[in-house]
Amino acid sequence: MKLSQFKFKLPQELVALYPHSFEREYTNDDGTKGSFRVTRRDESRLMVLHRSTGEIEMYRKDAKGKPIEGDYLDFRNILDYFDEHDTFILNDTKVFPARLYGTKEKTDAKIEVFVLRELNEETHLWDVLVEPARKIRIGNKLFFDEVGTMVAEVYDNTTSRGRSLRFLYDCSHEQFKKDLFALGEPPLPAYILNGRPADPAMKDMHVRSHALPEDAENFQCVFAKNVGAVTAPATGLHFSRELMKRMEIKGINAAYITLHCGLGNFTPIEVEDLTKHKMDSEQMIIDKKACDIVNKTKMAGHRVCAVGTSVVKATETAVGTDGLLKEYDGWTSKFIFPSYDFGLADSMVANFYHPESILLMSTAAFGGYEQVMECYRLAVEHGYKFGCFGDSLLIV
């Protein structure tokens, strides 16, 4: 397929800059009124696409099964489409605070350092991206705290924006990572930080606002466990602890795999022919426990739902020719776009994503290009929210 086939007009106001929330009012004892905002990650909207028929559901139904126009489905309704012994596959990667701000020696220029992954534990060598890259050369030193204890030296150039940084910090590996992460911010996508109100202190920086304290919780799945992601598996953000409990009560299984989500999912595709695009590699682990849960579900004839495009990527990397999930510990650079013959999950749920995005392409491959693009057209028409904090599409 061609890149241009995934273009559509997305109004800026439909890009979600915060998790789903609503205003709640209260009355004080003296009669004065006030309000506060409540975040409900599982109450964002849900659209449902039936692959076999092309039917698209947006509304709840009355007692006679007739859609109630304007009464939109929300994410909690996802359980209505699954039964006891079905299985959700969830990505339990945990996001670390990967965005740091430092100052360059001598000039005191403010530099954004986006930490990607550790290259060497003993020497504290890390693969990073820097902004503005033109100011950073091999041998430069960067300072990350006011007392100058966290210092890094530019060790090498990797890409146009990429650098290897060696942190000059004398302590145990565990203490170093704890101190490093204490200086970082939740790595919200740039489109979110650039869409929020500007911070004057961020003038001339790559992003124009800092992450908020509450973003540390909001940009993390409630089941996150294994540290290593620099962006959240966004569809998993819709699951609340209450919804997870309702899953358990209904008898729906949860199988956990790990894929450490990288920035490659947000890298703009620069070729029209999608077969020419090369994905960055991401680390993934699928253990025996997950395989046993998923394969038992499949062999018993129950449904398997992949929660998010990262799960689809991981399971399609590890599925065998027999249609069963295999243990895996390694890396994947799989790029899924239409047309693609899926081997494992029979349903999936994904967020609504930006035009020409890799994540939209994976969704369209699963649900069918024409049908998914029609869902996106309706989402824009009805004001659904897009992006990591946006609404979701269930494909069954």
Side-chain angles (χ1 to χ4, degrees):
M1 295 198 77
K2 304 298 183 183
L3 176 65
S4 55
Q5 292 178 265
F6 293 92
K7 283 185 178 179
F8 65 92
K9 187 175 181 180
L10 177 61
Q12 187 61 36
E13 63 269 19
L14 296 186
V15 177
L17 303 179
Y18 304 91
H20 177 80
S21 61
F22 59 89
E23 201 80 17
R24 177 162 288 176
E25 295 186 348
Y26 61 89
T27 303
N28 294 310
D29 293 340
D30 61 2
T32 59
K33 294 184 179 294
S35 67
F36 60 93
R37 185 156 289 277
V38 179
T39 297
R40 290 282 188 268
R41 59 173 72 204
D42 58 6
E43 293 183 13
S44 55
R45 287 195 204 173
L46 177 72
M47 187 183 294
V48 181
L49 167 63
H50 296 263
R51 282 195 296 179
S52 60
T53 63
E55 178 191 0
I56 298 172
E57 294 184 65
M58 294 190 295
Y59 307 120
R60 293 185 178 88
K61 296 178 180 179
D62 60 22
K64 297 181 179 180
K66 183 179 179 181
I68 306 171
E69 191 167 339
D71 187 7
Y72 291 96
L73 295 168
D74 66 39
F75 196 81
R76 295 170 298 180
N77 295 117
I78 192 172
L79 300 190
D80 298 338
Y81 295 86
F82 295 91
D83 300 313
E84 185 179 8
H85 305 306
D86 291 341
T87 293
F88 284 178
I89 308 178
L90 303 157
N91 185 0
D92 67 4
T93 187
K94 190 171 185 178
V95 179
F96 64 90
R99 183 177 276 115
L100 290 82
Y101 294 97
T103 55
K104 184 182 174 184
E105 62 174 340
K106 297 180 181 177
T107 66
D108 285 337
K110 193 171 184 179
I111 305 296
E112 177 190 324
V113 175
F114 198 101
V115 180
L116 298 176
R117 58 177 173 262
E118 191 171 37
L119 301 175
N120 188 296
E121 284 189 15
E122 293 183 4
T123 61
H124 303 323
L125 188 67
W126 285 70
D127 184 20
V128 307
L129 299 176
V130 294
E131 293 283 356
R134 68 183 183 279
K135 295 183 178 181
I136 302 302
R137 296 179 173 85
I138 295 174
N140 287 160
K141 285 186 174 64
L142 301 175
F143 296 84
F144 291 96
D145 58 17
E146 293 180 357
V147 296
T149 55
M150 184 66 76
V151 183
E153 182 180 28
V154 180
Y155 183 77
D156 197 6
N157 297 328
T158 53
T159 63
S160 59
R161 294 170 53 220
R163 301 290 187 272
S164 295
L165 281 192
R166 182 166 60 92
F167 287 88
L168 311 176
Y169 202 71
D170 188 17
C171 65
S172 68
H173 179 253
E174 292 73 20
Q175 186 62 45
F176 163 71
K177 290 187 73 172
K178 180 180 178 180
D179 293 345
L180 179 68
F181 291 171
L183 296 171
E185 292 185 359
L188 296 179
Y191 71 81
I192 290 180
L193 297 179
N194 287 331
R196 291 179 177 180
D199 181 344
M202 300 291 284
K203 184 181 179 182
D204 300 325
M205 294 298 295
H206 175 54
V207 292
R208 68 176 198 167
S209 63
H210 284 285
L212 302 172
E214 56 266 33
D215 287 323
E217 178 180 354
N218 292 336
F219 201 56
Q220 195 80 268
C221 297
V222 297
F223 46 79
K225 179 181 179 182
N226 298 307
V227 178
V230 296
T231 186
T235 309
L237 296 176
H238 295 288
F239 285 81
S240 63
R241 290 177 176 82
E242 293 78 12
L243 184 59
M244 298 293 289
K245 189 63 179 179
R246 286 180 55 211
M247 280 176 53
E248 181 184 339
I249 293 170
K250 192 167 183 177
I252 298 173
N253 304 310
Y256 296 98
I257 61 95
T258 303
L259 185 141
H260 294 314
C261 304
L263 293 183
N265 296 303
F266 299 102
T267 301
I269 296 179
E270 298 178 345
V271 291
E272 176 68 2
D273 182 356
L274 297 183
T275 62
K276 300 292 194 299
H277 179 70
K278 302 299 180 186
M279 286 288 292
D280 293 342
S281 294
E282 295 167 304
Q283 187 179 14
M284 56 171 279
I285 301 170
I286 298 178
D287 62 17
K288 183 177 184 300
K289 182 178 180 181
C291 292
D292 289 345
I293 294 172
V294 172
N295 293 338
K296 181 180 178 181
T297 302
K298 288 206 71 174
M299 290 187 289
H302 299 291
R303 283 172 293 179
V304 173
C305 180
V307 177
T309 57
S310 67
V311 170
V312 168
K313 181 190 296 185
T315 54
E316 288 304 308
T317 297
V319 67
T321 55
D322 57 359
L324 299 179
L325 191 61
K326 311 298 181 184
E327 293 179 61
Y328 193 98
D329 187 347
W331 297 75
T332 180
S333 57
K334 183 174 282 292
F335 177 29
I336 297 175
F337 59 91
S339 58
Y340 181 90
D341 187 16
F342 287 85
L344 189 84
D346 47 47
S347 56
M348 79 169 288
V349 57
N351 281 25
F352 285 98
Y353 288 106
H354 287 71
E356 300 184 327
S357 72
I358 288 167
L359 308 175
L360 163 57
M361 294 168 192
S362 296
T363 307
F366 195 93
Y369 171 77
E370 297 289 348
Q371 295 181 155
V372 167
M373 294 309 290
E374 174 61 13
C375 290
Y376 270 61
R377 186 191 68 78
L378 289 171
V380 171
E381 181 181 321
H382 288 263
Y384 283 66
K385 292 292 187 177
F386 286 68
C388 292
F389 286 141
D391 297 318
S392 55
L393 172 66
L394 172 64
I395 304 170
V396 294

